């Protein structure tokens, strides 16, 4: 009753990734439980409640839970109940977020749509992924030039860059995505904590109070220096996506 849908989605994704990497099935019962938890907070004909006591949906949770169930459906194709549930959920989310500029949904929705596109071969998901990115950049580009970490944006952009089926020869969109990936990577690299941060090899990067055991992590903001574990996770995932698509960045 106290489970948050977003946290449940993350647990499910982690369990699936661990199982695939290790062949260790000790968490299979929990994986099934997390799936049932997400089913319990899915409102028929709509998206996900943030937690059992709530009636409200959120862009974050809709994207996170969609991605989690898409990953589960790939790992367990024999689960026809989840396959049918996903078919209904796909229809709702594709319509709700068509050409959406939501900052909270873009990266999660992009990863989920790419997952569904790769699994189903349905062109709807590729069209959705491209439209989502066009709308996001058209309405949010000005806000990206800040000193705040933007690795979550990179997750969405790199996901599209890795799906030529979604770009479909749209050279303008492809160039725009490539430009923004390069531009944002410059800034986000500067926000990674390195061994020389406390002494400051570069004066503008010298910040007091950065612990040595945080080396390798990413800051959310440089001034004041603030680290958040979710920001580091976004950066790690963005880098992994770019590695898979052989990005030179």
């Amino acid at each position: 009753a106290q489970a948050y849908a977003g946290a449940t989605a993350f647990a499910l994704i982690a369990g699936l990734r661990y199982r695939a990497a290790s062949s260790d099935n000790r968490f299979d019962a929990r994986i099934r439980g997390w799936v049932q938890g997400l089913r319990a907070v899915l409102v028929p004909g709509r998206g996900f409640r943030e937690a059992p006591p709530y009636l409200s949906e959120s862009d974050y949770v809709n994207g996170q839970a969609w991605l989690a169930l898409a990953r589960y459906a790939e790992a367990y194709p024999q689960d026809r109940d989840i396959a049918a549930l996903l078919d209904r959920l796909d229809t709702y989310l594709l319509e709700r977020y068509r050409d959406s500029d939501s900052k909270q949904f873009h990266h999660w929705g992009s990863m989920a749509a790419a997952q569904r596109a790769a699994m189903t071969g349905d062109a709807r998901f590729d069209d959705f992924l491209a439209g989502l990115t066009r709308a996001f950049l058209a309405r949010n580009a000005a806000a990206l030039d800040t000193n705040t970490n933007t690795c979550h944006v990179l997750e969405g952009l790199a996901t599209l860059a890795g799906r030529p089926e979604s770009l479909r020869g749209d050279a303008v969109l492809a160039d725009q995505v490539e430009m923004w990936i390069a531009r944002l990577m410059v800034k986000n690299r500067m926000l990674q904590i390195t061994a020389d941060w406390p002494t400051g090899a570069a004066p503008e990067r010298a910040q007091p109070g950065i612990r040595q055991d945080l080396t390798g992590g990413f800051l959310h903001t440089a001034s004041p220096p603030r680290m958040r574990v979710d920001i580091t996770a976004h950066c790690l995932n963005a880098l992994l996506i770019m590695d898979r698509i052989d990005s030179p960045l």
Side-chain angles (χ1 to χ4, degrees):
Q2 298 178 15
Y4 281 81
T8 304
F10 291 152
L12 176 56
I13 291 171
L16 292 168
R17 284 293 178 90
Y18 173 79
R19 190 181 193 279
S22 68
S23 299
D24 184 343
N25 63 3
R26 77 176 83 171
F27 299 113
D28 283 9
R30 293 189 182 186
I31 286 172
R32 290 191 294 271
W34 291 322
V35 170
Q36 293 309 312
L38 290 179
R39 291 187 67 171
V41 293
L42 178 60
V43 179
R46 291 179 53 198
F48 295 87
R49 303 198 303 273
E50 293 181 74
Y54 302 158
L55 293 177
S56 58
E57 298 178 48
S58 87
D59 294 345
Y60 273 131
V61 170
N62 277 343
Q64 292 160 353
W66 189 25
L67 176 61
L69 289 179
R71 293 264 171 88
Y72 173 83
E74 180 185 47
Y76 293 89
Q78 71 277 14
D79 191 331
R80 302 315 303 163
D81 287 344
I82 291 299
L85 180 153
L86 261 176
D87 284 342
R88 296 190 295 271
L89 181 63
D90 291 340
T91 299
Y92 172 74
L93 293 177
L94 290 178
E95 182 59 33
R96 177 182 172 102
Y97 292 102
R98 185 185 307 279
D99 301 326
S100 170
D101 64 348
S102 170
K103 298 175 185 177
Q104 292 77 31
F105 182 82
H106 172 251
H107 50 302
W108 297 113
S110 294
M111 290 185 284
Q115 179 81 32
R116 294 296 284 152
M119 183 177 176
T120 66
D122 190 334
R124 291 184 305 159
F125 298 107
D126 285 309
D127 291 341
F128 177 82
L129 176 54
L132 196 65
T133 302
R134 287 191 193 95
F136 177 84
L137 290 177
R139 297 164 198 161
N140 294 300
L144 297 180
D145 282 323
T146 68
N147 292 323
T148 303
N149 192 297
T150 52
C151 280
H152 63 292
V153 177
L154 286 168
E155 287 176 300
L157 297 180
T159 295
L160 175 58
R163 283 222 34 109
E165 302 92 332
S166 296
L167 290 166
R168 294 189 184 180
D170 188 336
V172 172
L173 180 59
D175 288 347
Q176 191 178 21
V177 167
E178 184 178 344
M179 182 274 290
W180 274 111
I181 290 175
R183 190 166 174 172
L184 296 179
M185 276 300 296
V186 170
K187 173 179 63 178
N188 289 308
R189 278 201 183 98
M190 294 297 292
L191 291 172
Q192 187 173 28
I193 301 169
T194 60
D196 64 347
W197 262 77
T199 55
E204 69 275 10
R205 294 182 63 189
Q207 298 286 355
I210 298 296
R211 289 171 16 209
Q212 286 288 340
D213 61 339
L214 299 180
T215 297
F218 285 80
L219 296 179
H220 181 217
T221 57
S223 182
R226 296 172 57 228
M227 182 177 178
R228 283 174 31 182
V229 67
D230 60 323
I231 295 300
T232 294
H234 282 300
C235 288
L236 177 58
N237 193 43
L239 291 170
L240 287 169
I241 294 171
M242 286 188 281
D243 185 60
R244 286 197 296 270
I245 66 174
D246 294 325
S247 170
L249 301 170

